[in-house]
Short mmCIF file of all heavy atoms in Angstrom, two decimals:
data_model
loop_
_atom_site.label_atom_id
_atom_site.label_comp_id
_atom_site.label_asym_id
_atom_site.label_seq_id
_atom_site.Cartn_x
_atom_site.Cartn_y
_atom_site.Cartn_z
N ASP A 252 -61.35 8.85 11.66
CA ASP A 252 -60.77 8.00 12.66
C ASP A 252 -61.46 8.48 13.95
O ASP A 252 -61.63 7.60 14.96
CB ASP A 252 -59.30 8.19 12.62
CG ASP A 252 -58.71 7.81 11.34
OD1 ASP A 252 -58.88 6.73 10.81
OD2 ASP A 252 -57.92 8.78 10.76
N ILE A 253 -61.48 9.74 14.23
CA ILE A 253 -61.82 10.32 15.60
C ILE A 253 -63.26 9.89 15.97
O ILE A 253 -63.48 9.58 17.07
CB ILE A 253 -61.73 11.89 15.46
CG1 ILE A 253 -60.30 12.24 15.12
CG2 ILE A 253 -62.17 12.50 16.84
CD1 ILE A 253 -59.20 11.63 16.06
N ILE A 254 -64.23 10.04 15.04
CA ILE A 254 -65.60 9.78 15.42
C ILE A 254 -65.81 8.34 15.94
O ILE A 254 -66.36 8.15 17.02
CB ILE A 254 -66.58 10.16 14.39
CG1 ILE A 254 -66.50 11.72 14.05
CG2 ILE A 254 -67.98 9.74 14.64
CD1 ILE A 254 -67.22 12.21 12.88
N PRO A 255 -65.40 7.31 15.12
CA PRO A 255 -65.63 5.97 15.81
C PRO A 255 -64.78 5.73 16.98
O PRO A 255 -65.17 4.85 17.88
CB PRO A 255 -65.26 5.11 14.54
CG PRO A 255 -64.32 5.77 13.72
CD PRO A 255 -64.87 7.32 13.73
N SER A 256 -63.65 6.36 17.12
CA SER A 256 -62.92 6.19 18.43
C SER A 256 -63.61 6.71 19.59
O SER A 256 -63.63 6.05 20.60
CB SER A 256 -61.41 7.05 18.18
OG SER A 256 -60.69 6.41 17.29
N ILE A 257 -64.20 7.86 19.46
CA ILE A 257 -65.07 8.44 20.51
C ILE A 257 -66.16 7.46 20.91
O ILE A 257 -66.46 7.21 22.13
CB ILE A 257 -65.53 9.93 20.14
CG1 ILE A 257 -64.37 10.77 20.16
CG2 ILE A 257 -66.55 10.36 21.32
CD1 ILE A 257 -64.84 12.19 19.54
N LYS A 258 -66.78 7.01 19.92
CA LYS A 258 -68.00 6.16 20.11
C LYS A 258 -67.61 4.77 20.79
O LYS A 258 -68.41 4.32 21.60
CB LYS A 258 -68.67 5.98 18.73
CG LYS A 258 -69.39 7.25 18.21
CD LYS A 258 -70.27 6.89 16.94
CE LYS A 258 -70.89 8.30 16.45
NZ LYS A 258 -71.62 7.99 15.17
N ARG A 259 -66.49 4.36 20.27
CA ARG A 259 -66.08 2.99 20.85
C ARG A 259 -65.79 3.10 22.32
O ARG A 259 -66.13 2.35 23.25
CB ARG A 259 -64.95 2.31 20.10
CG ARG A 259 -64.55 0.99 20.66
CD ARG A 259 -63.58 0.31 19.74
NE ARG A 259 -63.32 -1.14 20.28
CZ ARG A 259 -62.40 -1.46 20.97
NH1 ARG A 259 -61.46 -0.65 21.46
NH2 ARG A 259 -62.28 -2.76 21.34
N TRP A 260 -64.98 4.19 22.66
CA TRP A 260 -64.57 4.48 24.00
C TRP A 260 -65.79 4.72 24.91
O TRP A 260 -65.97 4.24 25.96
CB TRP A 260 -63.65 5.75 24.07
CG TRP A 260 -63.58 6.42 25.31
CD1 TRP A 260 -63.03 5.95 26.60
CD2 TRP A 260 -64.29 7.61 25.66
NE1 TRP A 260 -63.20 6.80 27.60
CE2 TRP A 260 -64.04 7.89 27.04
CE3 TRP A 260 -65.19 8.44 25.07
CZ2 TRP A 260 -64.58 9.03 27.74
CZ3 TRP A 260 -65.58 9.59 25.62
CH2 TRP A 260 -65.26 9.79 26.95
N ALA A 261 -66.73 5.61 24.37
CA ALA A 261 -67.94 5.94 25.11
C ALA A 261 -68.79 4.79 25.54
O ALA A 261 -69.61 4.76 26.37
CB ALA A 261 -68.64 6.98 24.50
N ALA A 262 -68.79 3.77 24.69
CA ALA A 262 -69.63 2.52 24.87
C ALA A 262 -69.10 1.83 26.08
O ALA A 262 -70.00 1.06 26.68
CB ALA A 262 -69.60 1.64 23.64
N LYS A 263 -67.89 1.92 26.39
CA LYS A 263 -67.29 1.23 27.53
C LYS A 263 -67.15 2.03 28.85
O LYS A 263 -67.18 1.50 29.92
CB LYS A 263 -65.95 0.69 27.14
CG LYS A 263 -65.95 -0.39 25.97
CD LYS A 263 -66.61 -1.70 26.51
CE LYS A 263 -65.59 -2.46 27.39
NZ LYS A 263 -66.14 -3.87 27.72
N ASP A 264 -66.81 3.29 28.70
CA ASP A 264 -66.32 4.08 29.79
C ASP A 264 -67.67 4.73 30.60
O ASP A 264 -68.53 5.21 29.80
CB ASP A 264 -65.50 5.26 29.36
CG ASP A 264 -65.02 6.13 30.43
OD1 ASP A 264 -64.23 5.64 31.25
OD2 ASP A 264 -65.45 7.28 30.50
N SER A 265 -67.52 4.77 31.79
CA SER A 265 -68.70 5.31 32.61
C SER A 265 -68.97 6.75 32.25
O SER A 265 -70.08 7.15 32.01
CB SER A 265 -68.39 5.10 34.12
OG SER A 265 -69.43 5.81 34.87
N MET A 266 -67.83 7.66 32.32
CA MET A 266 -68.04 8.97 31.95
C MET A 266 -68.41 9.21 30.53
O MET A 266 -69.17 10.16 30.13
CB MET A 266 -66.80 9.78 32.27
CG MET A 266 -66.93 11.25 32.53
SD MET A 266 -65.50 12.00 33.25
CE MET A 266 -66.06 13.61 33.58
N GLY A 267 -67.88 8.38 29.64
CA GLY A 267 -68.27 8.45 28.22
C GLY A 267 -69.73 8.14 27.97
O GLY A 267 -70.47 8.82 27.24
N GLN A 268 -70.18 7.11 28.70
CA GLN A 268 -71.61 6.79 28.59
C GLN A 268 -72.53 7.98 28.95
O GLN A 268 -73.44 8.22 28.31
CB GLN A 268 -71.90 5.54 29.39
CG GLN A 268 -71.39 4.24 28.80
CD GLN A 268 -71.50 3.13 29.75
OE1 GLN A 268 -72.26 3.27 30.81
NE2 GLN A 268 -70.88 1.97 29.58
N LYS A 269 -72.12 8.58 30.04
CA LYS A 269 -72.90 9.76 30.57
C LYS A 269 -72.83 10.90 29.62
O LYS A 269 -73.77 11.57 29.45
CB LYS A 269 -72.42 10.06 32.02
CG LYS A 269 -73.28 11.12 32.66
CD LYS A 269 -74.72 10.56 32.91
CE LYS A 269 -74.88 9.45 33.86
NZ LYS A 269 -76.23 9.04 34.06
N MET A 270 -71.62 11.20 29.03
CA MET A 270 -71.51 12.18 28.11
C MET A 270 -72.40 12.03 26.94
O MET A 270 -73.09 12.85 26.42
CB MET A 270 -70.06 12.34 27.63
CG MET A 270 -69.78 13.51 26.73
SD MET A 270 -68.29 13.35 25.72
CE MET A 270 -68.68 12.16 24.41
N MET A 271 -72.43 10.70 26.33
CA MET A 271 -73.18 10.40 25.19
C MET A 271 -74.73 10.45 25.56
O MET A 271 -75.43 10.64 24.50
CB MET A 271 -72.79 9.05 24.62
CG MET A 271 -71.32 8.95 24.10
SD MET A 271 -71.17 10.09 22.71
CE MET A 271 -72.03 9.07 21.40
N SER A 272 -75.14 10.50 26.76
CA SER A 272 -76.58 10.65 27.01
C SER A 272 -77.08 12.03 26.67
O SER A 272 -78.19 12.21 26.52
CB SER A 272 -76.87 10.17 28.48
OG SER A 272 -76.39 11.09 29.27
N PHE A 273 -76.05 12.90 26.56
CA PHE A 273 -76.35 14.33 26.24
C PHE A 273 -76.15 14.64 24.76
O PHE A 273 -76.44 15.73 24.29
CB PHE A 273 -75.53 15.21 26.98
CG PHE A 273 -75.90 15.39 28.51
CD1 PHE A 273 -75.32 14.38 29.35
CD2 PHE A 273 -76.72 16.38 28.90
CE1 PHE A 273 -75.69 14.50 30.70
CE2 PHE A 273 -77.10 16.37 30.36
CZ PHE A 273 -76.47 15.48 31.23
N VAL A 274 -75.54 13.68 24.09
CA VAL A 274 -75.15 13.96 22.60
C VAL A 274 -76.21 13.50 21.55
O VAL A 274 -76.70 12.32 21.73
CB VAL A 274 -73.75 13.19 22.36
CG1 VAL A 274 -73.50 13.28 20.92
CG2 VAL A 274 -72.65 13.74 23.21
N ALA A 275 -76.47 14.32 20.66
CA ALA A 275 -77.52 14.13 19.66
C ALA A 275 -76.75 13.58 18.51
O ALA A 275 -77.20 12.56 17.87
CB ALA A 275 -78.23 15.36 19.28
N SER A 276 -75.60 14.06 18.14
CA SER A 276 -74.83 13.50 16.96
C SER A 276 -73.35 13.93 17.10
O SER A 276 -73.11 15.00 17.69
CB SER A 276 -75.41 14.03 15.69
OG SER A 276 -75.42 15.47 15.61
N ILE A 277 -72.50 13.25 16.28
CA ILE A 277 -71.22 13.64 16.18
C ILE A 277 -70.90 13.59 14.68
O ILE A 277 -70.95 12.42 14.08
CB ILE A 277 -70.10 12.76 16.95
CG1 ILE A 277 -70.49 12.70 18.47
CG2 ILE A 277 -68.67 13.30 16.83
CD1 ILE A 277 -69.54 11.91 19.24
N ASP A 278 -70.62 14.56 14.06
CA ASP A 278 -70.41 14.55 12.51
C ASP A 278 -69.14 15.27 12.09
O ASP A 278 -68.63 16.24 12.67
CB ASP A 278 -71.59 15.32 11.90
CG ASP A 278 -72.87 14.68 12.25
OD1 ASP A 278 -72.98 13.38 11.79
OD2 ASP A 278 -73.87 15.22 12.75
N ALA A 279 -68.61 14.68 11.01
CA ALA A 279 -67.47 15.33 10.35
C ALA A 279 -67.78 16.47 9.43
O ALA A 279 -68.68 16.30 8.71
CB ALA A 279 -66.57 14.25 9.64
N LYS A 280 -67.08 17.57 9.58
CA LYS A 280 -67.33 18.65 8.77
C LYS A 280 -66.36 18.76 7.51
O LYS A 280 -66.75 19.05 6.33
CB LYS A 280 -67.19 20.12 9.48
CG LYS A 280 -68.11 20.18 10.69
CD LYS A 280 -69.60 20.05 10.38
CE LYS A 280 -70.16 21.12 9.49
NZ LYS A 280 -71.50 21.01 9.27
N ASP A 281 -65.22 18.20 7.74
CA ASP A 281 -64.11 18.00 6.76
C ASP A 281 -63.10 17.06 7.46
O ASP A 281 -63.34 16.67 8.63
CB ASP A 281 -63.54 19.30 6.31
CG ASP A 281 -62.87 20.22 7.46
OD1 ASP A 281 -62.09 19.51 8.19
OD2 ASP A 281 -63.24 21.38 7.57
N PRO A 282 -62.10 16.75 6.66
CA PRO A 282 -61.05 15.74 7.35
C PRO A 282 -60.47 16.15 8.67
O PRO A 282 -59.98 15.28 9.51
CB PRO A 282 -60.04 15.57 6.23
CG PRO A 282 -60.72 15.80 5.04
CD PRO A 282 -61.71 16.99 5.44
N LYS A 283 -60.47 17.47 9.04
CA LYS A 283 -59.85 17.94 10.21
C LYS A 283 -60.87 18.48 11.31
O LYS A 283 -60.53 18.67 12.34
CB LYS A 283 -58.76 19.10 9.92
CG LYS A 283 -57.57 18.45 9.29
CD LYS A 283 -56.56 19.66 9.13
CE LYS A 283 -56.21 20.36 10.32
NZ LYS A 283 -55.17 21.39 10.12
N THR A 284 -62.15 18.75 10.90
CA THR A 284 -63.07 19.45 11.75
C THR A 284 -64.35 18.48 11.98
O THR A 284 -64.84 17.90 11.00
CB THR A 284 -63.44 20.82 11.21
OG1 THR A 284 -62.36 21.53 10.98
CG2 THR A 284 -64.40 21.50 12.13
N PHE A 285 -64.65 18.41 13.25
CA PHE A 285 -66.03 17.70 13.57
C PHE A 285 -66.80 18.44 14.49
O PHE A 285 -66.33 19.33 15.36
CB PHE A 285 -65.73 16.23 14.05
CG PHE A 285 -64.83 16.17 15.38
CD1 PHE A 285 -65.57 15.88 16.59
CD2 PHE A 285 -63.56 16.39 15.47
CE1 PHE A 285 -64.85 15.79 17.75
CE2 PHE A 285 -62.88 16.31 16.62
CZ PHE A 285 -63.53 16.11 17.77
N GLU A 286 -68.14 18.15 14.62
CA GLU A 286 -69.00 18.80 15.55
C GLU A 286 -69.67 17.71 16.39
O GLU A 286 -70.08 16.72 15.93
CB GLU A 286 -70.10 19.49 14.77
CG GLU A 286 -69.62 20.84 14.09
CD GLU A 286 -70.85 21.45 13.36
OE1 GLU A 286 -71.93 20.99 13.30
OE2 GLU A 286 -70.62 22.71 13.05
N ILE A 287 -69.89 18.11 17.73
CA ILE A 287 -70.63 17.38 18.68
C ILE A 287 -71.75 18.29 19.00
O ILE A 287 -71.67 19.28 19.72
CB ILE A 287 -69.78 17.11 19.89
CG1 ILE A 287 -68.53 16.33 19.57
CG2 ILE A 287 -70.65 16.31 21.01
CD1 ILE A 287 -67.60 16.07 20.82
N LYS A 288 -72.99 17.66 18.63
CA LYS A 288 -74.31 18.38 18.90
C LYS A 288 -74.92 17.73 20.11
O LYS A 288 -74.98 16.59 20.13
CB LYS A 288 -75.05 18.35 17.73
CG LYS A 288 -74.55 19.16 16.48
CD LYS A 288 -75.58 19.24 15.38
CE LYS A 288 -74.95 20.19 14.15
NZ LYS A 288 -75.85 20.25 13.01
N LEU A 289 -75.35 18.53 21.08
CA LEU A 289 -75.93 18.18 22.28
C LEU A 289 -77.45 18.27 22.20
O LEU A 289 -77.91 19.15 21.63
CB LEU A 289 -75.41 19.01 23.44
CG LEU A 289 -73.85 18.96 23.58
CD1 LEU A 289 -73.48 19.86 24.77
CD2 LEU A 289 -73.31 17.64 23.86
N LYS A 290 -78.10 17.43 23.07
CA LYS A 290 -79.48 17.41 23.18
C LYS A 290 -79.87 18.58 24.26
O LYS A 290 -80.84 19.29 24.11
CB LYS A 290 -80.05 16.10 23.79
CG LYS A 290 -79.85 14.92 22.81
CD LYS A 290 -80.26 13.70 23.46
CE LYS A 290 -79.76 12.43 22.83
NZ LYS A 290 -80.04 11.18 23.64
#
Side-chain angles (χ1 to χ4, degrees):
D252 306 301
I253 300 303
I254 293 172
S256 292
I257 293 174
K258 290 180 177 179
R259 183 171 189 264
W260 158 76
K263 295 289 287 186
D264 180 72
S265 173
M266 202 169 186
Q268 290 173 9
K269 189 61 66 179
M270 181 195 82
M271 290 301 286
S272 72
F273 289 86
V274 172
S276 64
I277 308 178
D278 297 301
K280 305 303 291 181
D281 60 49
K283 288 183 58 181
T284 303
F285 64 101
E286 285 185 348
I287 300 176
K288 293 185 177 180
L289 305 175
K290 302 171 188 174

